[in-house]
Amino acid sequence: MTKAFYVTTPIYYANSEPHVGTAYTSIVADVLARYHRLRGEEVFFLTGTDEHGQKIFRAAKEQGLTPKALADQLCPKFKELTPTLSLTNDHFIRTTDPAHEHAVKTLFSRLIASGDVYKGQYKGWYCTGCEGYVDAPADAKPTCELHGAVDWLEEENYFFRLSKYRDRILAHFKANPGFVEPTSRYNEVLNRIKGGLEDVSVSRSSFDWGVPLPGDEKHVIWVWFDALINYISGVGFPDDPERFARHWPADVHLVGKDIIWFHSVIWPCMLIAAGIEPPRKVYAHGWWTVNGDKISKTKGNVVYPRDVTAKYGVDPLRYFMLRELPFGLDGDFSLTAFTRRYNSDLGNDLGNLVNRVLALVEKHFGGVVPEQGAYEPVDAALRATFEAVVPRYEETLGRYEFSLTLEEIWKAVRHANAYVDQTKPWTLAKDPANRGRLGTVLGALCEGLRELSCLLAPFLPNVSEGIRRQIGAEGPVRLPGDLAWGGLAAGTRIAKGAPLFPRVDAP
Ligand code: MSP
């Protein structure tokens, strides 16, 4: 049995609509899912909504709704991200799905049975925004960096013996240096583990919106404990062991930097305690601001993905988010930066290339890809650039350096544009004696476009398809085979279409 490539996004709190910041992880997950599918691998890409807990409970109360009604209202907004961003998630999980709740109870019962969960009294601070316990003395009145004021909590709770797993998780980190990435995050988490692990409260008893705790239904299971389990309940745990074995462990959990501790310490320890392998990797990305500020409704700077895609198209948004900031670092979204990249990278570089090459093939070869003759150094140099991109494409993608991967692809785009200027097809066309040479030049350029359509396929799927349609490339892209130079046959009929990226005005 071969294991599927399994990639996840965090499940999003169903208390407010998705914005460009929350859309980011889903875009990245989609690139990985598409890339692995194009390589012929079985892939499972899971996303969904986190619907229990105090945060949803409180938000619903404020709006005079039941928590379930609020979640039912907001969950579709997250599901809509699939068409809005051209996502190819294989499933969308909700933590209110009965199958998920059953998985949570099953895992929890295992931990009770193994003595890893015990009853106690929690006294301490809690940030409802993070749904997390805040480690600070009673008189400290701490605040949360992200959400401000925190609450004082005194409740009877059940605790998970996280402290018992300190050595196990340390050993796991040591044995798997790529377990958490980027490396700076790995070191941060590792140092915190070395500082000691305290048992963590995993139930709440002061409100009732969650999965009831097996055997003590006055409690609901802590929302993080519940939510993390989506990664296994979404692939068949506990009732479909065959499906579960085909997917688990997840190849990568993509998460924002704010939730790295839950994913790289609490979650693997829960799994180890339950006798399940930890995920293979947790990759933490940075945060987006908008116009230099934290994304916030009160600041009025929230950018909704559908507003951007309705106006500029899906792929430009994907391109901008993947290209603008090196994966792992923080970055800023502004329409000024977005339209700049749209007009320069997409319009001037890529769109213009496609347009001029196809116009020339139409004009001089009646819309049929011409035969190529022997290569001159200038042609060989173009081919060499495309060939050099391939290994760097694979390497950077393998390291999740998406911005660099796109930069590599654009080296080929820019070289192809420079090649048009160097070879001057319009001058060649003036003399019938140069017909063979003109064929070589335009044939090489069509081949370049074909290869670009393959390189771009995981990132800009719609643009990739558009280019393929226009150049008459047939069938689905297959990686890495289709990245070899020479896949487009002479005689292929092209079908020039409308410009891919009509110029837009800067705001
Ligand atoms: N429900 C939890 C996750 C549970 S996973 C088992 C949660 N939800 S969230 O909706 O608050 O955040 C979801 C993801 O969106 C997190 O990875 C978070 O880092 C990310 N982002 C939220 N705002 C963001 C930005 N402004 N920029 C980038 N990512 C952002 O946490």
Side-chain angles (χ1 to χ4, degrees), residues 386-501:
F386 273 89
E387 284 174 346
V389 165
V390 176
R392 290 200 296 258
Y393 176 86
E394 305 277 356
E395 276 161 36
T396 51
L397 247 170
R399 291 197 300 261
Y400 297 68
E401 294 170 336
F402 308 107
S403 179
L404 291 184
T405 317
L406 289 168
E407 227 174 282
E408 285 301 327
I409 300 174
W410 255 254
K411 282 184 188 162
V413 173
R414 295 203 180 98
H415 191 151
N417 272 319
Y419 174 81
V420 177
D421 299 335
Q422 287 162 350
T423 53
K424 299 190 177 44
W426 48 89
T427 309
L428 291 174
K430 284 184 187 148
D431 184 350
N434 291 329
R435 180 106 187 127
R437 180 73 199 126
L438 181 63
T440 303
V441 166
L442 294 183
L445 283 165
C446 287
E447 176 54 25
L449 293 185
R450 186 202 63 82
E451 191 162 333
L452 286 173
S453 76
C454 303
L455 293 165
L456 290 171
F459 297 92
L460 312 181
N462 305 293
V463 167
S464 162
E465 271 177 30
I467 296 176
R468 292 178 76 71
R469 229 181 358 256
Q470 295 194 42
I471 61 169
E474 287 196 348
V477 174
R478 275 179 239 277
L479 297 182
D482 281 355
L483 299 179
W485 185 262
L488 190 66
T492 303
R493 179 153 287 282
I494 65 153
K496 185 171 175 295
L500 292 169
F501 308 103

Side-chain angles (χ1 to χ4, degrees), residues 174-423:
K174 294 267 163 66
N176 300 279
F179 178 55
V180 173
E181 286 196 71
T183 312
S184 54
R185 302 276 170 213
Y186 173 93
N187 291 330
E188 243 173 65
V189 176
L190 184 61
N191 285 336
R192 196 170 149 194
I193 301 170
K194 283 181 183 160
L197 289 184
E198 282 184 23
D199 293 352
V200 54
S201 156
V202 289
S203 78
R204 298 291 311 274
S205 55
S206 55
F207 63 94
D208 63 358
W209 180 233
V211 180
L213 196 145
D216 193 348
E217 303 216 337
K218 286 197 310 296
H219 291 253
V220 290
I221 292 169
W222 179 42
V223 63
W224 266 103
F225 203 94
D226 164 355
L228 288 161
I229 292 170
N230 94 86
Y231 299 131
I232 56 173
S233 70
V235 289
F237 176 86
D239 292 340
D240 189 344
E242 190 273 329
R243 181 164 168 247
F244 183 54
R246 205 166 67 246
H247 292 86
W248 194 258
D251 290 83
V252 59
H253 291 322
L254 297 169
V255 300
K257 61 181 182 182
D258 53 319
I259 56 175
I260 183 88
W261 182 256
F262 301 105
H263 282 82
S264 64
V265 179
I266 297 180
W267 175 227
C269 288
M270 282 163 63
L271 289 166
I272 293 169
I276 301 170
E277 236 185 289
R280 289 190 176 154
K281 186 187 291 299
V282 178
Y283 202 116
H285 63 70
W287 266 48
W288 286 89
T289 50
V290 168
N291 300 326
D293 255 327
K294 187 185 157 195
I295 301 176
S296 113
K297 266 197 186 156
T298 32
K299 290 206 167 98
N301 66 348
V302 183
V303 177
Y304 297 103
R306 62 167 183 277
D307 293 340
V308 181
T309 59
K311 189 157 177 200
Y312 303 99
V314 178
D315 288 14
L317 177 61
R318 292 173 63 114
Y319 176 77
F320 178 79
M321 300 205 86
L322 294 161
R323 176 70 186 81
E324 184 72 2
L325 84 147
F327 194 57
L329 302 185
D330 293 339
D332 186 55
F333 189 101
S334 73
L335 276 183
T336 310
F338 174 82
T339 51
R340 196 185 304 131
R341 276 210 186 274
Y342 178 104
N343 284 329
S344 70
D345 303 8
L346 296 176
N348 287 354
D349 294 343
L350 179 61
N352 197 22
L353 175 70
V354 174
N355 220 39
R356 68 208 288 219
V357 169
L358 295 186
L360 286 162
V361 173
E362 260 191 350
K363 185 164 174 200
H364 301 298
F365 289 91
V368 173
V369 176
E371 197 81 47
Q372 299 180 51
Y375 275 11
E376 292 186 3
V378 70
D379 317 317
L382 178 70
R383 175 179 174 157
T385 293
F386 273 89
E387 284 174 346
V389 165
V390 176
R392 290 200 296 258
Y393 176 86
E394 305 277 356
E395 276 161 36
T396 51
L397 247 170
R399 291 197 300 261
Y400 297 68
E401 294 170 336
F402 308 107
S403 179
L404 291 184
T405 317
L406 289 168
E407 227 174 282
E408 285 301 327
I409 300 174
W410 255 254
K411 282 184 188 162
V413 173
R414 295 203 180 98
H415 191 151
N417 272 319
Y419 174 81
V420 177
D421 299 335
Q422 287 162 350
T423 53

